[in-house]
Amino acid sequence: MIKSILAMALALAVPAAAAEPTQGVSGSEIAIGTYTDLSGVSAMWGVNNSNSWRMVFDQVNADGGINGRKIRYIVEDNQYQVPRSVQAANKLINRDHVFIMVANAGTPMNNAVMPDQIAKGIANIFPLTSARSMYEPLNHLKFGLGSSYYDQVRAGLKYFIGQRGKKRICTMAQDTDFGRDITDGVRDQLKAQDMALTGATLHRPTDTDFSASVARMHDAGCDLLVLGTIVRDSVQIIGAVRKTGWNVDMMGAAAAYDEAVSGVPGEVTDGFYAMTPMLFVAETATDPKVKAFSAGYRKEFGKEPNFAAQIGFTGAEVVALALKKAGKNLTAESFISSLEAIKDYQDIFGSPAISFSPTKHQGSNQSFLCVVKHGRWQPVEAEPLGY
């Protein structure tokens, strides 16, 4: 009995072990990191997107921070290259000790970095890619914001087959993880509709001459080209098609939905279609919130926001909301739980509602079909499409 009482007394006298500190979170700061393309082939995406994340976080800090903490936002240039992304992620995680990583750019880059990143308990939130691997297979540290490339092309292809009578479908895609997501979507939708792929070509992201590939697709008799391309290769393929005088419909995914594609001089890209998880509305906005976003962006960065900037703004707003709801005791677990509790979030741009749950880490799988007319993107259908 005496021994038992003595053991209890000793146990009570020993202080409880201090909880492990959460990386990137102090009493006054939350460190958040991004690696993105600031000087490579997709810099028009990376620069504008990270600008909006910074703008939102700067405003959060100006308003007093989140639950007493200011956000320290660190952005590294990956030049759309895998080795640079690995280097940047290593710095952000091991030297800057970030709490989470957001808006990391590029499908192959995220796929290369994520295994080690996730193993270290650093969440990958709303990367600047719509690849399915950003949220599949389900992992409590992986979240995608909107519809995937796979979702986009399946929905768009279903529309073109059902509404436009397309029968001979071909793909021209990058030979990358990104391009494979596009071709997987095409093949699965064709299989669902008991159809087969008519033709396909693959290219490197740095390729510039597509005359031979276009000739092959022309000879195959394609009546719809689904492009697994970003900006530069989209413009080059469209230009190569136009040069031959071939009047074939072409559709891309969100990676091609950019003013650098729509605004090519001479209206070369007029008639090109793209699927997008949200509509670009800042340029012609009448909504006061969108106008305020555009004005703030112009004031801070000296230029108009593009589509990638809109994505960044929405993503940053959702992250800020989840951080706030996580409360003062911010941990990876409390942040993830708060993010999973977000339901039917509506951004200022009229995008499909964003919702998460413990078993659903993709905000939305709906997307809009748009077409270039007179150098500008215009929606084809008022409502988003699914499959």
Side-chain angles (χ1 to χ4, degrees):
M1 181 68 176
I2 294 174
K3 286 184 179 180
S4 176
I5 294 172
L6 183 60
M8 290 177 62
L10 287 171
L12 290 171
V14 176
E20 284 290 321
T22 298
Q23 172 165 310
V25 178
S26 70
S28 60
E29 183 180 87
I30 305 167
I32 297 178
T34 293
Y35 62 79
T36 194
D37 188 358
L38 304 180
S39 61
V41 295
S42 61
M44 72 287 294
W45 278 76
V47 170
N48 287 281
N49 183 262
S50 58
N51 279 351
S52 280
W53 281 88
R54 187 174 300 284
M55 186 172 76
V56 171
F57 291 158
D58 285 348
Q59 186 60 56
V60 164
N61 290 342
D63 291 341
I66 294 177
N67 300 319
R69 298 182 177 98
K70 299 292 182 71
I71 295 174
R72 178 166 61 96
Y73 184 47
I74 310 126
V75 181
E76 297 291 331
D77 185 7
N78 75 349
Q79 294 184 345
Y80 202 72
Q81 296 177 18
V82 169
R84 280 187 168 272
S85 300
V86 172
Q87 284 182 327
N90 183 61
K91 173 186 176 294
L92 290 167
I93 294 169
N94 298 312
R95 287 176 52 191
D96 297 313
H97 304 292
V98 296
F99 170 57
I100 57 174
M101 295 175 71
V102 301
N104 292 330
T107 303
M109 297 77 190
N110 276 275
N111 286 343
V113 168
M114 265 199 294
D116 286 341
Q117 175 186 337
I118 298 300
K120 292 179 179 179
I122 307 301
N124 201 52
I125 308 297
F126 308 156
L128 190 55
T129 163
S130 296
R132 286 177 295 166
S133 56
M134 300 304 106
Y135 58 89
E136 291 183 351
L138 181 68
N139 183 293
H140 73 292
L141 296 177
K142 292 165 52 175
F143 286 81
L145 185 62
S147 62
S148 66
Y149 301 128
Y150 177 88
D151 295 329
Q152 293 160 23
V153 297
R154 286 201 65 169
L157 189 52
K158 181 180 179 181
Y159 172 87
F160 272 99
I161 293 171
Q163 303 298 317
R164 302 290 180 92
K166 300 300 182 183
K167 297 179 180 179
R168 298 183 63 81
I169 314 302
C170 298
T171 62
M172 298 183 69
Q174 290 188 8
D175 189 9
T176 62
D177 292 340
F178 156 69
R180 280 181 280 279
D181 240 22
I182 300 291
T183 55
D184 284 350
V186 171
R187 291 180 187 277
D188 286 354
Q189 187 59 35
L190 289 175
K191 183 178 179 180
Q193 299 194 230
D194 198 25
M195 298 172 66
L197 188 66
T198 298
T201 67
L202 294 172
H203 63 270
R204 293 169 297 184
T206 54
D207 286 349
T208 58
D209 185 358
F210 294 94
S211 55
S213 297
V214 167
R216 284 176 53 196
M217 296 298 93
H218 178 273
D219 292 346
C222 312
D223 60 11
L224 176 68
L225 294 180
V226 180
L227 304 189
T229 52
I230 304 182
V231 173
R232 185 171 63 183
D233 51 346
S234 294
V235 172
Q236 289 166 335
I237 289 175
I238 296 167
V241 169
R242 299 287 188 252
K243 190 174 181 180
T244 67
W246 183 22
N247 186 25
V248 63
D249 283 329
M250 293 173 278
M251 180 189 77
Y257 181 68
D258 190 275
E259 74 268 21
V261 174
S262 61
V264 175
E267 299 184 353
V268 171
T269 57
D270 268 30
F272 175 62
Y273 295 88
M275 298 295 295
T276 172
M278 72 165 62
L279 293 173
F280 176 56
V281 297
E283 187 178 75
T284 57
T286 56
D287 184 285
K289 292 180 180 179
V290 180
K291 291 177 72 173
F293 157 70
S294 299
Y297 193 96
R298 282 194 303 271
K299 181 179 179 181
E300 188 159 349
F301 304 109
K303 59 182 178 180
E304 293 289 335
N306 69 355
F307 173 61
Q310 286 186 190
I311 295 174
F313 183 84
T314 295
E317 290 273 287
V318 174
V319 165
L321 176 62
L323 287 170
K324 182 178 181 181
K325 288 181 176 294
K328 183 70 175 177
N329 184 27
L330 179 61
T331 64
E333 290 72 24
S334 68
F335 172 73
I336 295 303
S337 295
S338 296
L339 197 52
E340 289 176 339
I342 290 176
K343 306 295 181 193
D344 296 323
Y345 176 87
Q346 191 65 64
D347 73 5
I348 66 173
F349 305 110
S351 304
I354 295 169
S355 297
F356 301 100
S357 77
T359 58
K360 176 180 176 290
H361 281 196
Q362 181 191 22
S364 168
N365 65 358
Q366 293 186 308
S367 45
F368 296 92
L369 177 63
C370 295
V371 66
V372 180
K373 286 187 177 180
H374 305 299
R376 297 180 183 275
W377 288 107
Q378 297 183 19
V380 175
E381 301 288 331
E383 298 299 321
L385 304 176
Y387 63 92

